[in-house]
Amino acid sequence: MVDLGSIIGLALGLVASGDTELYAIILLSLRVTLTAVLIGCLIGLPLGAALAVLRFPGRGAAVAVLNSFMGLPPVVVGLVVYLMLSRSGPLGVLGLLYTPTAMIVAQAILVTPLIAALARQSIADLHGEYDELFRSLRLGPARQIATLLWDGRYSLTTAALAGFGRAIAEVGAVIIVGGNIEHVTRVMTTTIALETSKGDLPLALALGMILVAISIGVNAMVLSLNRTAQRLAHA
Amino acid sequence: MLDALDQGRQGGGTRARVGRPPMFPVEAQGITVRSDGRLLLDDVSLALTHGPRTVVMGPNGAGKSLLLRVLHGLVAPDAGTVNFAGRAADAAVVRRQAMVFQKPTLLRRSARANIKYVLGGLDRAARTAAADSILAAARLSHVADSPARRLSGGEQQRLAIARALALDPDILLLDEPCANLDPASTLAVEEMIDSARDGGAKIVLVTHDIGQARRLADDVVFLSGGRLAEHTPADRFFAAPCSAAAADFLAGRIHIPGGHDRR
Ligand SMILES: Nc1ncnc2c1ncn2[C@@H]1O[C@H](COP(=O)(O)OP(=O)(O)OP(=O)(O)O)[C@@H](O)[C@H]1O
Ligand SMILES: [Mg+2]
């Protein structure tokens, strides 16, 4: 049993020395998750706004499905994406399995419902407030949605950050579709899982500390966004 | 302000409203609105002509805001019709009305952006210029870049009216625009209403302020308990109202329908 103090020392050393392997893993994590969140926003924000504004048959059911997809288990998403991308799967010809692209796809599927559901809620609240003005000005749905997305930008950014927080910390989906291949698809969470079981605790702990720092940073951003929104009376 | 708007829109400088189909008189016929078995508006019929400023008065809950919503096409009556120059409202007629709500909704944007939001059909620079002259006329230039919802109550109310005026409406519906305003802000709002009227807009104003009604009204619509108590020229209304409800209201007596009157 190695003693904890020296593990922490080695981990801090790794972080401080700018270890290339460590930073390659961090960068890949950020690239995969930020891309997935970007895709999640491009799909999820208009989707959430449309569900908040448009009235159509089956809307209630669509909202219920969306809300229940907020908490999709990452391993199940990973499994489904694996089945789609595996050589015998419908998208097998693309050869995407065990690539960062596959991880992006899996995480995008994971965060899109979360972002859409959070966006729908805050847009619906805002729509309740703006509805009379919209109707007085006789605005069409496209202009309404554009207005709500812009005026709801602070709470929507919070929704995007929630998606980021969920994706950066998940391990189940990326490990199944990425395969945790060294220098190719190893991200922070999969590396922590692997290195802990292999016994390379300093690397695992260094990544763990970075991960916690990122999540603290995300929360700090949420707080400061809320404060800015309050100050501008945009909340 | 209206001049600036006209330049921006390349409309006729005299606001001759060429090419606009007629929309007066506005005739409400037998307007009835029910909710949960309650009659909120009960067979209200009235005709509004272009020139005179119409002031709508009546106790709380009389149906004043509801009547404005029906005229504006936001609430479909359970019975009755609203016609503009003898025809039902179409999209063109509806776009030529603007309403300032009792609780105005300001966008979560700067004061200037709130004005620009309703200015269509211009390039960006022209919209900014038009918005700035509208803000100047509303004496809001100093807060043009402030978040609209950070303005004082009076400034917010003036911004909401300025935004409605920016639509260059033929009918301007105002629901208690001066509630909670101090005398100076009230005066500023009344000046804006005057300039809208001078620009050719029909004014329909709800107020509880008898002084304001005396200053602004050319004719008075008095509602009580969802019914039209009277629709009278202002001088006659203030001298000798026809209805008991209006007489009580003007005398400061509280009229409780079906109950005992208190003096
Ligand atoms: N959408 C609605 N659904 C149900 N009831 C309504 C609706 N709008 C208004 N009412 C009711 O209709 C009545 C008249 O409301 P309205 O807002 O028109 O009154 P008002 O004359 O404007 O009063 P105030 O002076 O307090 O503004 C009230 O009893 C109100 O509860
Ligand atoms: Mg009212």
Side-chain angles (χ1 to χ4, degrees), chain B residues 35 38 40 58-67 69 102 175-176 208:
Chain B
S35 173
R38 271 176 69 215
L40 305 180
N60 291 136
K64 305 179 296 295
S65 298
L66 196 53
L67 177 63
R69 284 193 169 82
Q102 196 163 351
D175 197 350
E176 297 190 40
H208 287 292

Side-chain angles (χ1 to χ4, degrees), chain A residues 6-18:
Chain A
S6 63
I7 295 173
I8 294 174
L10 285 168
L12 287 173
L14 274 177
V15 174
S17 68

Side-chain angles (χ1 to χ4, degrees), chain B:
Chain B
M1 149 173 30
L2 297 163
D3 287 350
L5 250 186
D6 275 335
Q7 283 161 16
R9 291 169 175 235
Q10 294 140 23
T14 57
R15 304 230 318 174
R17 291 163 198 277
V18 271
R20 296 185 176 187
M23 64 189 297
F24 295 99
V26 179
E27 288 167 306
Q29 189 62 49
I31 299 295
T32 301
V33 177
R34 284 187 203 89
S35 173
D36 306 323
R38 271 176 69 215
L39 268 178
L40 305 180
L41 286 178
D42 184 2
D43 195 20
V44 173
S45 298
L46 47 85
L48 303 175
T49 51
H50 188 180
R53 292 161 299 182
T54 301
V55 166
V56 181
M57 303 189 81
N60 291 136
K64 305 179 296 295
S65 298
L66 196 53
L67 177 63
L68 256 57
R69 284 193 169 82
V70 171
L71 293 175
H72 194 33
L74 297 182
V75 171
D78 294 297
T81 53
V82 180
N83 282 333
F84 297 84
R87 291 180 304 139
D90 56 18
V93 157
V94 138
R95 273 179 225 287
R96 287 158 56 194
Q97 310 180 5
M99 179 156 171
V100 178
F101 292 94
Q102 196 163 351
K103 284 182 234 143
T105 305
L106 296 175
L107 299 170
R108 290 161 163 72
R109 306 177 183 198
S110 69
R112 181 186 292 114
N114 266 271
I115 303 285
K116 281 169 78 173
Y117 186 72
V118 302
L119 294 172
L122 301 169
D123 67 52
R124 218 190 167 84
R127 272 194 293 148
T128 304
D132 281 342
S133 60
I134 289 166
L135 287 169
R139 297 195 216 147
L140 289 171
S141 299
H142 61 294
V143 291
D145 294 307
S146 306
R149 291 150 57 92
R150 271 279 131 125
L151 305 186
S152 79
E155 289 165 344
Q156 291 197 16
Q157 196 61 266
R158 294 212 304 278
L159 181 59
I161 297 170
R163 188 176 61 190
L165 291 179
L167 291 164
D168 189 22
D170 289 350
I171 301 181
L172 179 60
L173 304 157
L174 300 130
D175 197 350
E176 297 190 40
C178 298
N180 305 317
L181 298 194
D182 69 16
S185 295
T186 300
L187 191 68
V189 167
E190 289 181 5
E191 281 171 16
M192 294 176 74
I193 294 171
D194 279 345
S195 81
R197 206 272 292 252
D198 295 343
K202 161 76 180 176
I203 306 292
V204 182
L205 168 88
V206 175
T207 183
H208 287 292
D209 177 348
I210 294 173
Q212 178 168 63
R214 283 180 189 276
R215 288 191 296 275
L216 295 183
D218 296 311
D219 59 343
V220 177
V221 168
F222 195 89
L223 290 178
S224 177
R227 291 175 150 272
L228 179 70
E230 62 179 290
H231 183 190
T232 328
D235 43 3
R236 188 135 45 91
F237 179 85
F238 291 112
C242 316
S243 62
D248 285 345
F249 185 84
L250 287 177
R253 291 189 293 261
I254 299 165
H255 179 76
I256 302 165
H260 301 286
D261 286 3
R262 239 183 318 152
R263 275 164 207 256

